[in-house]
Amino acid sequence: MAMNVLSLAALLIAGLIHLLPVMGVLGVTSLQRLYGTTVADPNLAILLQHRAVLFGLLAALMLGALGVQAWRVMALAMGLVSTSSFVLIALWVGGYNGEIGRVVAVDVVVSVVLAAGLLAALVAGRSGV
């Protein structure tokens, strides 16, 4: 039971956090507010707005997995890949601004939460809980 609660809490937290960047779909002003950078190039705006859509899809999967047990391991794993890869890329590239630094810090925490939730879901699955 505790394992299920942990995986559900991880999905809820990560799903809600992944909804935040969806505001970027609204346009350049929203993107600039989210990332603290100028988005003057329409190509960059397209890429970032598409990124916002993908975050919405990932959030929908994680929040949907709250009600569909068969999706939980996949949703937790995909969320973990999303957050941890962002952290790794940011550290690799470096030189990011304060807004991106906050995203990195949040994604470190969310990665830990998702890893714990994924482990809990895998343990619960093995024990038949």
Side-chain angles (χ1 to χ4, degrees), residues 13 22 28 34 38 48 53 55 65 85 90-92 113 122 124 128:
I13 291 165
V22 174
V28 171
L34 280 167
T38 302
L48 289 173
V53 170
F55 270 108
S85 66
L91 294 175
W92 181 31
V113 168
L122 292 170

Side-chain angles (χ1 to χ4, degrees), residues 17 82 88:
I17 288 172
S82 171
L88 292 173

